[in-house]
Amino acid sequence: PPILRTSLRNDNQEAFEQTTTTFPGIDWESYSRILIMIPIISIALIVVFILGVIVVDTWWLRRQTPIQAIHLIYRRLLLITKRKLEKIMPGTTPNELVNDLNECLITALAIEHPPLADTLTKNVQKIGAIYSQSIYSAHNPGKKEQADIIRIWIGLRYQLVRFLLNTCRRPPVS
């Protein structure tokens, strides 16, 4: 139950002030400041966490061998794609998968964001080409290919996730 306290204040004049508190001895003004700071601190921690993940992920990809980095990035692209392209057959080649994803991106973005659709499809095509070269070619990928695919992936990953979360539903296979 609230406790009603009456105190006398003397600042050149006498005035009565009534204060209602639920707990005696708590400074409600500083408590409300703390409550205001909680969401601000939470948002700051989330931003720091996301930036940390980006930096650590990029650093970790650069520490892998070129073929490992290429395969990890393609696997991530595949995971994002699987969520939107409902049926991916086991025998689907990387080029078929990239073409399906590009078709989905063009359908979803060509009208509203033509430059973005063009950029995304070119970058997805480049990742598919580098991955296909790494698994089908006798030439092993080098640091140049690793740097290229990491650079492409850094620019592509968040745009892809953002647009694929809201678009690109493939009709069910009958």
Side-chain angles (χ1 to χ4, degrees), residues 106-134:
I106 289 170
T107 304
L109 300 173
I111 295 171
E112 296 176 15
H113 308 285
L116 182 62
D118 188 43
T119 303
L120 288 177
T121 55
K122 283 180 182 176
N123 287 337
V124 168
Q125 198 72 36
K126 287 177 188 175
I127 288 176
I130 292 171
Y131 177 75
S132 293
Q133 179 188 5
S134 76

Side-chain angles (χ1 to χ4, degrees), residues 85-96:
L85 302 177
E86 293 170 1
K87 292 285 183 180
I88 297 177
M89 301 301 179
T92 305
T93 65
N95 288 334
E96 291 171 340

Side-chain angles (χ1 to χ4, degrees), residues 32-163:
S32 66
R33 286 188 196 127
I34 291 171
L35 288 177
I36 291 171
M37 293 300 291
I38 289 174
I40 294 169
I41 292 171
S42 299
I43 291 170
L45 288 174
I46 290 170
V47 168
V48 167
F49 176 76
I50 291 171
L51 291 175
V53 167
I54 292 169
V55 169
V56 168
D57 181 52
T58 304
W59 171 81
W60 185 71
L61 283 171
R62 287 186 176 134
R63 294 210 39 168
Q64 303 299 313
T65 64
I67 199 154
Q68 286 174 327
I70 291 167
H71 285 252
L72 285 169
I73 289 171
Y74 182 78
R75 191 175 309 142
R76 292 175 185 179
L77 182 66
L78 184 64
L79 285 172
I80 293 170
T81 306
K82 277 185 179 180
R83 293 183 179 159
K84 290 301 172 180
L85 302 177
E86 293 170 1
K87 292 285 183 180
I88 297 177
M89 301 301 179
T92 305
T93 65
N95 288 334
E96 291 171 340
L97 183 73
V98 165
N99 289 338
D100 285 348
L101 181 57
N102 282 341
E103 182 182 311
C104 176
L105 289 168
I106 289 170
T107 304
L109 300 173
I111 295 171
E112 296 176 15
H113 308 285
L116 182 62
D118 188 43
T119 303
L120 288 177
T121 55
K122 283 180 182 176
N123 287 337
V124 168
Q125 198 72 36
K126 287 177 188 175
I127 288 176
I130 292 171
Y131 177 75
S132 293
Q133 179 188 5
S134 76
I135 60 172
Y136 296 128
S137 174
H139 163 64
N140 286 331
K143 290 288 185 184
K144 181 188 177 300
E145 287 87 1
Q146 180 183 14
D148 287 345
I149 200 166
I150 290 172
R151 181 185 46 76
I152 293 166
W153 180 247
I154 289 169
L156 179 71
R157 60 184 163 192
Y158 297 106
Q159 292 175 342
L160 245 181
V161 169
R162 191 176 108 210
F163 285 104

